[in-house]
């Protein structure tokens, strides 16, 4: 289908979801549900992205790109088609992990069908307000080839992310380094992009050619970054098509005059580890409360906002919930229960007078009367959910996997509990296998 001369520019969107081998840091929750479908603030993580995309009126087609089985997103796409009838949503499955740019290039024919002028790329494991219309406005005003969403973090945290240096007047990106060894800038990559189709695909093609001619040299992390190096970040037998936006494309785009950064002052964080779902839940609920979202529970003496309660959940009126609490479908919250800064997943039961703080309670899990399940509060601006206890790094958020049981009067503190475990004694700072 050729485009009519003088027709308005058209836009599509791509949501990158990765694949099962990349969700290891989200265990034990990803053992039962793929990370993009995990519920945060009442909706799957990926739906927050889709909701933002639906507010860009000219977007009529969205692609979900990853290497999960097709069946994983089938129900989600069916439900989303009813929620967003004006958008066509398709899942494109990579035959292997191709990297954030390799997947785009592999499916370029589908993305380019109908000859769109530009398209958004959103990483699904990002929690933010996704100011896509503002990015589109900047793209048009600047005559840009690419716009990246950035946010400010502390100088200490910045080296854990991609760092952006911009011209302070024009906002043009003049330098980009992924996880630099030393301080470059505290403006970091949010993992949300808007690319011109004429810019991104030639850039990926060039990167693939470079990889074919000269495979990527292995780089070794500095001692400071060694502790943060995850097996998720290792490259195992990469093909030349394994190309990443962050490492292989963005540094080259700085040579063009059309690469700009839009800085968001709103909330942002990654959802990498299972524990990071709790601060993400708090950020999304806070935004919904500011927007006076009708789906949130009405504030009262025992509801300290923001709180989301699924319509099928049973909450005793004497239970005290909030702030920043999500209660999932068919969950049962007993008399005198206290829940704060936590996610209670579907079919979980919390018996009378139990206390749950800074925790995730897994599907079908049961917490006994007078039990105490708790994590440790950390600043919402802190991008790491690990804390040091007795010289050992442990999760600040306590996580109970699927079908876990906590006995009456048992205290569980700063623990990660794998599915199907019964806790009958007090336990702290442990991973319970």
């Amino acid at each position: 289908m050729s485009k009519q001369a003088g027709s308005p520019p058209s836009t599509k969107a791509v949501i990158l979801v990765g694949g099962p081998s990349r969700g290891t840091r989200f265990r034990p929750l990803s053992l039962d549900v793929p990370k993009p479908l995990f519920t945060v603030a009442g909706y799957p993580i990926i739906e927050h992205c889709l909701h933002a995309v639906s507010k860009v009126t000219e977007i009529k087609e969205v692609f979900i790109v990853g290497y999960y089985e097709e069946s994983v997103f089938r129900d989600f796409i069916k439900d989303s088609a009813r929620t967003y009838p004006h958008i066509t949503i398709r899942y494109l499955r990579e035959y292997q992990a191709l990297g954030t740019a390799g997947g785009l290039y592999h499916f370029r024919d589908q993305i380019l069908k109908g000859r769109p002028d530009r398209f958004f790329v959103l990483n699904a494991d990002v929690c933010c307000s996704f100011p896509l219309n503002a990015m589109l406005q900047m793209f048009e005003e600047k005559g840009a080839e690419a716009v990246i969403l950035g946010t400010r973090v502390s100088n200490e945290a910045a080296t854990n992310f991609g760092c952006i240096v911009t011209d302070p007047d024009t906002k043009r990106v003049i330098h980009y380094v992924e996880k630099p060894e030393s301080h470059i800038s505290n403006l970091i990559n949010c993992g949300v992009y808007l690319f011109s189709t004429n810019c991104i695909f030639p850039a990926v093609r060039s990167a693939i050619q470079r990889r074919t001619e000269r495979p990527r040299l292995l780089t070794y992390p500095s001692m400071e970054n060694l502790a943060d190096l995850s097996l998720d970040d290792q490259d195992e037998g990469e093909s030349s098509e394994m190309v990443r936006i962050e490492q292989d494309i963005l540094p080259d785009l700085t040579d063009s005059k059309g690469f700009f950064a839009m800085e968001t002052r709103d909330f942002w964080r990654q959802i990498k580890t299972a524990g990071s779902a709790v601060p993400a839940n708090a950020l999304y609920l806070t935004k919904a409360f500011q927007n006076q979202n009708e789906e949130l529970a009405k504030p009262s003496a025992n509801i300290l906002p923001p709180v989301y309660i699924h319509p099928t959940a049973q909450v005793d009126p004497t239970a005290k919930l909030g702030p920043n609490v999500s209660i999932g479908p068919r969950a049962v919250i007993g008399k005198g229960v206290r829940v704060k800064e936590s996610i209670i997943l579907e079919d979980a039961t919390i018996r009378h007078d139990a206390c749950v703080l800074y925790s995730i309670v897994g599907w079908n899990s049961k917490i006994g009367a007078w039990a105490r399940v708790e994590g440790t509060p950390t600043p919402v601006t802190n991008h790491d959910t690990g804390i040091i206890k007795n010289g050992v790094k442990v999760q600040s958020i306590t996580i109970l996997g699927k079908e876990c049981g906590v006995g009456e009067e048992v205290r569980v503190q700063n623990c990660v509990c794998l599915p199907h475990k019964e806790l009958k004694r007090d336990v702290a700072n442990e991973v319970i296998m």
Side-chain angles (χ1 to χ4, degrees), residues 278-402:
V278 166
N281 183 64
L283 291 169
Y284 275 137
L285 286 176
T286 300
K287 187 70 176 177
F289 185 67
Q290 288 166 352
N291 292 339
Q292 300 181 321
N293 189 314
E294 293 292 317
E295 293 182 345
L296 297 183
K298 297 283 180 284
S300 68
N302 283 338
I303 300 286
L304 310 179
V307 172
Y308 171 81
I309 301 172
H310 192 275
T312 61
Q314 296 176 42
V315 177
D316 190 278
T318 63
K320 189 168 188 175
L321 309 181
N324 302 320
V325 167
S326 289
I327 308 291
R330 300 175 303 281
V332 179
I333 312 294
K335 289 183 179 179
V337 165
R338 177 73 176 104
V339 184
K340 174 183 176 182
E341 302 281 352
S342 296
I343 299 172
I344 312 301
L345 294 170
E346 57 193 273
D347 299 302
T349 301
I350 304 177
R351 295 197 57 221
H352 67 85
D353 299 299
C355 182
V356 178
L357 314 170
Y358 303 95
S359 299
I360 298 174
V361 178
W363 308 269
N364 285 291
S365 289
K366 293 181 170 43
I367 295 176
W370 296 99
R372 190 175 178 93
V373 175
E374 62 182 322
T376 301
T378 56
V380 76
T381 51
N382 189 344
H383 287 273
D384 187 4
T385 52
I387 55 168
I388 305 298
K389 283 274 185 101
N390 303 325
V392 177
K393 190 171 185 180
V394 297
Q395 276 293 314
S396 62
I397 303 297
T398 287
I399 300 162
L400 303 182
K402 185 179 184 181

Side-chain angles (χ1 to χ4, degrees), residues 102-354:
L104 298 179
Y105 192 72
H106 183 71
F107 293 112
R108 62 193 179 280
D109 290 347
Q110 286 95 321
I111 294 169
L112 289 170
K113 192 174 180 186
R115 298 177 65 189
D117 299 270
R118 61 261 175 126
F119 64 99
F120 284 99
V121 176
L122 293 76
N123 282 289
D125 60 356
V126 163
C127 158
C128 76
S129 57
F130 298 107
L132 305 185
N133 280 307
M135 290 176 72
L136 198 55
Q137 185 180 346
M138 177 186 240
F139 189 92
E140 290 176 343
E141 286 173 357
K142 301 281 188 186
E145 293 179 337
V147 173
I148 182 173
L149 187 67
T151 191
R152 300 279 174 185
V153 297
S154 68
N155 288 346
E156 302 77 52
T159 52
N160 296 316
F161 303 97
C163 293
I164 308 165
V165 181
T166 60
D167 178 308
D169 298 321
T170 64
K171 306 303 177 194
R172 187 171 80 79
V173 179
I174 53 179
H175 192 44
Y176 180 88
V177 183
E178 184 68 18
K179 296 182 182 171
E181 296 286 312
S182 56
H183 177 71
I184 287 175
S185 163
N186 69 346
L187 181 64
I188 63 157
N189 178 1
C190 290
V192 181
Y193 316 100
L194 177 55
F195 293 121
S196 154
T197 48
N198 293 333
C199 155
I200 185 65
F201 292 118
V204 180
R205 191 183 307 120
S206 300
I208 291 173
Q209 282 170 348
R210 281 200 307 274
R211 293 294 305 278
T212 308
E213 294 157 10
R214 179 170 45 88
R216 185 188 290 142
L217 292 171
L218 284 174
T219 56
Y220 294 94
S222 64
M223 288 307 292
E224 292 82 30
N225 290 335
L226 201 60
D228 296 323
L229 191 72
S230 157
L231 288 173
D232 286 5
D233 299 326
Q234 300 303 298
D235 307 335
E236 294 178 17
E238 287 184 0
S239 73
S240 61
E241 267 196 276
M242 173 61 137
V243 182
R244 293 167 176 168
I245 291 172
E246 303 77 15
Q247 286 94 330
D248 302 311
I249 307 299
L250 298 182
D252 289 351
L253 288 184
T254 57
D255 295 337
S256 90
K257 297 285 186 281
F259 184 21
F260 294 88
M262 199 193 89
E263 185 179 335
T264 177
R265 306 281 180 184
D266 215 340
F267 67 94
W268 178 87
R269 75 171 295 132
Q270 284 180 307
I271 308 175
K272 288 290 186 193
T273 62
S276 61
V278 166
N281 183 64
L283 291 169
Y284 275 137
L285 286 176
T286 300
K287 187 70 176 177
F289 185 67
Q290 288 166 352
N291 292 339
Q292 300 181 321
N293 189 314
E294 293 292 317
E295 293 182 345
L296 297 183
K298 297 283 180 284
S300 68
N302 283 338
I303 300 286
L304 310 179
V307 172
Y308 171 81
I309 301 172
H310 192 275
T312 61
Q314 296 176 42
V315 177
D316 190 278
T318 63
K320 189 168 188 175
L321 309 181
N324 302 320
V325 167
S326 289
I327 308 291
R330 300 175 303 281
V332 179
I333 312 294
K335 289 183 179 179
V337 165
R338 177 73 176 104
V339 184
K340 174 183 176 182
E341 302 281 352
S342 296
I343 299 172
I344 312 301
L345 294 170
E346 57 193 273
D347 299 302
T349 301
I350 304 177
R351 295 197 57 221
H352 67 85
D353 299 299

Side-chain angles (χ1 to χ4, degrees), residues 17-64:
V17 293
S21 65
R22 291 290 196 224
T24 52
R25 282 181 279 181
F26 206 69
R27 290 176 183 165
L29 303 174
S30 58
L31 295 172
D32 293 287
V33 166
K35 182 167 77 166
L37 296 178
F38 182 78
T39 302
V40 168
Y43 292 95
I45 289 170
I46 187 176
E47 180 148 358
H48 293 284
C49 302
L50 193 56
H51 181 66
V53 166
S54 74
K55 291 183 174 175
V56 182
T57 52
E58 67 189 62
I59 295 179
K60 302 288 186 278
E61 191 166 26
V62 177
F63 299 104
I64 299 169

